[in-house]
Amino acid sequence: LARKPTTTTMRRHRLLLPLLMLAGAAAVVAARPPFACAPGGPATSMAFCRRSLPLRARARDLVARLTRAEKVRLLVNNAAGVPRLGIAGYEWWSEALHGVSNTGPGVRFGGAFPGATAFPQVIGTAASFNASLWELIGKAVSDEGRAMYNGGQAGLTFWSPNVNIFRDPRWGRGQETPGEDPAVSGRYAAAYVRGLQQPYGGGGRHGGHTRLKTAACCKHFTAYDLDSWSGTDRFHFNAIVTPQDLEDTFNVPFRSCVVDGRAASVMCSYNQVNGVPTCADESFLRGTIRGKWHLEGYIVSDCDSVDVFYRDQHYTRTHEDAVAATLRAGLDLDCGPFLAVYTEGAVSQRKVTDADIDAAVTNTVIVQMRLGMYDGDLATQPFGHLGPQHVCTPAHQELALEAARQSVVLLKNDGTALPLSRAAHHTVAVVGPHSQATVAMIGNYAGQPCRYTTPLQGIGRYVKTTLHQAGCTDVACQGGNQPIAAAVDAARRADATIVVVGLDQKVEAEGLDRTSLLLPGRQAELVSAVAKASKGPVILVLMSGGPVDIAFAQKDRKIAGILWAGYPGQAGGQAIADVIFGHHNPGGKLPVTWYPQDYLQKAPMTNMAMRADPARGYPGRTYRFYTGPTIHPFGHGLSYTKFTHTLAHAPAQLTVQLAGHHAAAAASSLNTTKHLGHAAADVRVSHARCKGLSIPVHVDVKNVGDRDGAHTVLVYASPPAAAAAAHGAPARQLVAFEKVHVPAGGVARVEMGLDVCNELSVAGRDGVRRIPVGEHTLTIGELTHLLTLGVEQLAV
């Protein structure tokens, strides 16, 4: 989601003027009145208010009662009310990326709701590799969102999560995402959506719509990961993407978000993909999202996207052509006024029909009905009791602290430097531009936190004396007047030194991609100078969304420990201190590859290819396809203890059966590709009997150290070499992961199941998924397990 530059914002305001009198908005009151179907209201006896009827029948009844003008005013985010039917206006745009946020106009803080719990930025919670935690955060956010809706200060349709792949380390919005890996991003998407929506009732896709606590939105579909770089911006960018990369990278988390998470909405992006704006791409919206993935909900544009593809991309000749392109593609809701202004003209010019409008409005109304907005009095509904006392609760704030602890990644720990001893380190120097961070800790798309604990405050709770010096006037740390000398003096007088540096929203943000992977300004100089002067151990703490080239610190023997904390949320300072002093044993893992600075010269942001092209010097992207040097690899993260793995159970062979008529026509179902003299055999996923085709993998994790700790079991799969060569498959790919807590000296068993059709298939260059036949390799830590996939005996 986005805020356009000044010129677009101004023209949006011009378009809004004719609508201001029409767009009804519920007044901010202590308790929200019924959105519709109020007892004694004008529509009480109408079919759309009858809770006993199926939701689609209720929605169709409502749409049939509306005039064309009324329906058109429901096609935009600030939907107008219909007073004659007792229906209030509604603002669809609310945000809840990592806590209820006032980034969109649907949320307002103040009065009984001065703030909401600010959890770590998504890239940080992704580092926990803990799907249970992700869902718990979503549930807490939905409690607070529902409470604020009941109080008239938020909507129920939250345009979160952002599940785009963090493809390029410079991307300013990478901080909002779960990282570079499709499997992690997909699982995060499903878990967070389940937490936000808390579905109940109904029978799912085949037995009626489930009801929702709040409605989530998967954004931004698809191949959206460039904001502004080297003269190219997201409003004009045409992403050239192969079918293979769409299938095995960019679309993976969206599929999981819709199919597994059952998200109520998908947002299309600003950019074009292969020459077509995503919000006008019928193959994407109707074909993939609604057709293949069976979205039960609505598709919404990013804000002003329709205006962008008309005015900036010149994709259509007229306003009315743009309306036709997007409605016929399958868009249901426009964030922005474009459809409200121009749709009636498109109908009069016969470019769209009333049926096109009815279909879009029906999809949005059904979601509102699933949220209980047409069920009358809130007090009689399942979540009507939620109020101010359910926001910023002690439990939610403790969850924010625990999430921040789990998000910390220990990158370096020489000897036994960490954790620091409170007995040995009475005086600690706390230096760096983030040493007193508050707003910087919550990243973007954040709201008003319940409270802040800065790093200085957190560390101060563990030691007798802190010597504080910022060392830089701000994060930019530029110019000759930086107070580095004062920080050096503090380090010289302390028993230990903690340096807190990194990035902020002036370096990486929406609309702002980075031009460097190095620490800003003179921060590296500060770190090295302090390390040289310190008489005790030096601990470097990094706050950032994207990766940082810290090779200088990795090599500096005076820097004993390095932590990456992401943007750790409102309790970040306490979490950092808890890790440094051993109250919490770190277990986070990097969800992105940390590249060296010179990677940027080899990989233009505009090159969307995931796979390397050695002939052209293109290095490829993410751990799945990049094989060059790294500062830290994907999945890196140390602990204060040590874990070993033992494979308790996994089959050595499995047979793939063919489905339906493919079993009888086996000769055409088993593809054989000659490559470099080897035969690469595979079975199309669409031809396989996938139901129940799962591989059980049981791993015993032993904690052989003297501290309790949490460990993430990462399972990577590599296809047969011939198949990898034939299809350009990744050399290895994460296919499963689980977080487990193991006491010192203890053993815990982790049981996972690998879905053969999803996890062990590869996407060919044509974008078709196939299951390679032959010897696959599973890698789990220090373990390697060979698994042979065969196909049933085929009669020719």
Side-chain angles (χ1 to χ4, degrees):
L1 196 65
R3 291 155 290 182
K4 284 281 287 163
T6 303
T7 53
T8 302
T9 302
M10 290 174 63
R11 67 174 178 253
R12 180 180 175 187
H13 288 168
R14 289 197 298 270
L15 289 169
L16 276 169
L17 288 176
L19 301 174
L20 290 178
M21 299 301 295
L22 296 169
V28 179
V29 293
R32 183 186 290 272
F35 174 80
C37 302
T44 306
S45 62
M46 295 180 183
F48 69 83
C49 288
R50 296 179 194 164
R51 298 171 66 171
S52 60
L53 294 177
L55 295 187
R56 185 164 293 278
R58 294 173 66 186
R60 286 174 174 167
D61 177 78
L62 170 60
V63 172
R65 297 176 188 273
L66 301 175
T67 67
R68 181 188 296 163
E70 288 169 337
K71 287 183 282 191
V72 165
R73 297 302 184 267
L74 299 180
L75 294 174
V76 291
N77 63 288
N78 58 333
V82 186
R84 66 184 181 85
L85 295 178
I87 299 172
Y90 180 67
E91 175 55 68
W92 286 83
W93 181 2
S94 292
E95 298 280 358
L97 183 72
H98 52 113
V100 180
S101 166
N102 57 349
T103 304
V107 173
R108 299 174 302 281
F109 289 114
F113 300 96
T117 309
F119 293 92
Q121 181 59 289
V122 176
I123 195 68
T125 48
S128 73
F129 281 78
N130 187 344
S132 298
L133 175 68
W134 301 335
E135 187 166 344
L136 284 173
I137 292 172
K139 184 178 183 300
V141 174
S142 70
D143 280 348
E144 300 195 356
R146 256 288 176 172
M148 292 186 68
Y149 173 80
N150 293 346
Q153 291 183 223
L156 288 176
T157 45
F158 291 99
W159 290 348
S160 304
N162 179 345
V163 296
N164 292 114
I165 294 295
F166 196 171
R167 171 188 63 101
D168 189 288
R170 289 161 287 201
W171 188 30
R173 301 189 72 176
Q175 61 182 287
E176 303 173 30
T177 77
E180 71 181 36
D181 182 70
V184 174
S185 298
R187 193 160 172 201
Y188 176 89
Y192 191 68
V193 166
R194 281 193 295 267
L196 273 184
Q197 296 193 157
Q198 294 287 289
Y200 65 99
R205 185 170 300 145
H206 302 294
H209 296 87
T210 55
R211 295 302 190 98
L212 303 172
K213 185 181 182 183
T214 66
C217 177
C218 322
K219 64 183 188 185
H220 315 77
F221 189 81
T222 183
Y224 170 79
D225 51 15
L226 179 152
D227 269 51
S228 181
W229 177 81
S230 192
T232 300
D233 65 44
R234 57 187 172 168
F235 310 117
H236 300 86
F237 181 48
N238 178 24
I240 304 302
V241 189
T242 66
Q244 185 176 38
D245 284 341
L246 280 174
E247 173 61 31
D248 75 0
T249 299
F250 296 111
N251 287 359
V252 172
F254 289 95
R255 181 184 184 278
S256 182
C257 202
V258 174
V259 175
D260 302 324
R262 307 293 294 279
S265 176
V266 174
M267 176 182 287
C268 50
S269 55
Y270 288 119
N271 56 290
Q272 296 184 1
V273 173
N274 300 327
V276 182
T278 63
C279 293
D281 194 320
E282 185 172 1
S283 67
F284 279 163
L285 307 191
R286 291 195 190 278
T288 298
I289 297 173
R290 209 172 282 286
K292 294 180 181 178
W293 299 343
H294 306 291
L295 173 74
E296 290 182 335
Y298 68 98
I299 300 174
V300 61
S301 74
D302 204 339
C303 292
D304 295 321
S305 284
V306 183
D307 187 59
V308 164
F309 79 65
Y310 163 70
R311 194 178 304 271
D312 296 332
Q313 298 175 6
H314 308 293
Y315 183 70
T316 62
R317 186 176 60 85
T318 68
H319 300 93
E320 292 75 19
D321 289 335
V323 171
T326 199
L327 285 181
R328 289 182 176 175
L331 191 78
D332 302 306
L333 186 70
D334 177 20
C335 179
F338 198 94
L339 292 188
V341 175
Y342 299 112
T343 298
E344 289 193 82
V347 175
S348 66
Q349 294 178 26
R350 299 185 178 181
K351 293 182 176 180
V352 296
T353 66
D354 285 309
D356 295 322
I357 300 170
D358 289 355
V361 175
T362 299
N363 286 332
T364 58
V365 167
I366 286 177
V367 171
Q368 290 181 316
M369 289 180 170
R370 294 175 70 190
L371 291 163
M373 294 171 68
Y374 285 82
D375 290 347
D377 188 0
L378 279 172
T380 66
Q381 297 182 37
F383 307 107
H385 67 287
L386 295 173
Q389 70 275 22
H390 296 98
V391 180
C392 288
T393 64
H396 290 177
Q397 295 194 64
E398 180 61 31
L399 181 61
L401 173 58
E402 179 58 26
R405 289 170 178 148
Q406 292 195 31
S407 72
V408 173
V409 181
L410 179 59
L411 299 176
K412 175 183 178 181
N413 190 17
D414 285 349
T416 58
L418 285 171
L420 293 184
S421 165
R422 299 174 69 177
H425 305 108
H426 299 286
T427 300
V428 173
V430 184
V431 304
H434 277 322
S435 55
Q436 286 189 296
T438 54
V439 174
M441 292 197 300
I442 59 177
N444 70 351
Y445 280 77
Q448 298 292 330
C450 314
R451 57 193 293 270
Y452 286 115
T453 302
T454 70
L456 180 62
Q457 290 170 333
I459 294 163
R461 294 171 182 174
Y462 280 96
V463 299
K464 183 178 180 180
T465 304
T466 56
L467 304 177
H468 175 248
Q469 291 291 335
C472 297
T473 56
D474 56 18
V475 169
C477 201
Q478 294 179 336
N481 62 339
Q482 302 303 317
I484 294 176
V488 169
D489 181 65
R492 189 177 290 119
R493 294 185 288 122
D495 301 319
T497 301
I498 300 171
V499 193
V500 193
V501 299
L503 315 180
D504 65 6
Q505 301 308 300
K506 293 182 180 179
V507 180
E508 54 176 357
E510 182 172 4
L512 179 63
D513 295 327
R514 296 158 66 193
T515 58
S516 171
L517 300 184
L518 303 177
L519 286 170
R522 299 175 64 187
Q523 284 192 34
E525 178 186 343
L526 167 68
V527 172
S528 295
V530 165
K532 184 177 180 180
S534 179
K535 66 181 182 182
V538 177
I539 309 303
L540 176 62
V541 179
L542 297 162
M543 284 191 200
S544 71
V548 183
D549 183 341
I550 52 166
F552 78 97
Q554 287 292 138
K555 298 172 184 176
D556 192 331
R557 294 183 178 180
K558 292 294 296 286
I559 299 174
I562 303 177
L563 304 175
W564 177 68
Y567 292 124
Q570 66 176 51
Q574 186 62 53
I576 290 167
D578 287 348
V579 170
I580 289 174
F581 288 94
H583 178 72
H584 177 82
N585 187 355
K589 304 286 186 183
L590 289 179
V592 289
T593 300
W594 283 34
Y595 303 93
Q597 170 72 6
D598 64 4
Y599 175 82
L600 304 188
Q601 280 65 57
K602 304 171 185 176
M605 279 195 79
T606 48
N607 189 331
M608 300 295 293
M610 297 301 297
R611 289 153 174 84
D613 185 352
R616 297 188 179 184
Y618 180 67
R621 305 217 181 245
T622 77
Y623 79 94
R624 296 161 65 228
F625 302 105
Y626 172 71
T627 57
T630 64
I631 302 301
H632 288 296
F634 171 89
H636 175 68
L638 307 174
S639 171
Y640 295 155
T641 189
K642 184 179 179 181
F643 301 94
T644 61
H645 307 85
T646 303
L647 189 63
H649 173 68
Q653 294 183 327
L654 189 72
T655 299
V656 177
Q657 294 184 328
L658 303 181
H661 67 279
H662 299 295
S668 63
S669 300
L670 185 63
N671 304 313
T672 302
T673 303
K674 294 288 185 179
H675 186 84
L676 300 178
H678 297 88
D682 54 67
V683 175
R684 286 195 180 208
V685 167
S686 60
H687 295 175
R689 291 181 178 175
C690 291
K691 187 176 181 180
L693 190 58
S694 179
I695 298 170
V697 177
H698 301 172
V699 179
D700 287 337
V701 180
K702 184 174 183 179
N703 184 341
V704 297
D706 58 0
R707 290 177 178 267
D708 296 354
H711 177 65
T712 299
V713 179
L714 302 173
V715 181
Y716 293 92
S718 300
H727 298 300
R732 66 179 186 126
Q733 173 156 323
L734 187 68
V735 292
F737 61 91
E738 290 294 339
K739 191 77 169 276
V740 61
H741 187 273
V742 190
V747 178
R749 176 162 295 184
V750 177
E751 298 184 359
M752 294 166 283
L754 305 186
D755 184 312
V756 171
C757 290
N758 286 329
E759 273 82 46
L760 297 187
S761 64
V762 299
R765 292 179 174 85
D766 55 2
V768 175
R769 281 201 168 270
R770 297 173 171 87
I771 305 168
V773 175
E775 192 172 76
H776 294 246
T777 303
L778 301 182
T779 305
I780 309 164
E782 69 278 16
L783 298 179
T784 298
H785 176 69
L786 300 181
L787 169 70
T788 300
L789 288 183
V791 66
E792 65 182 358
Q793 184 65 42
L794 305 176
V796 179

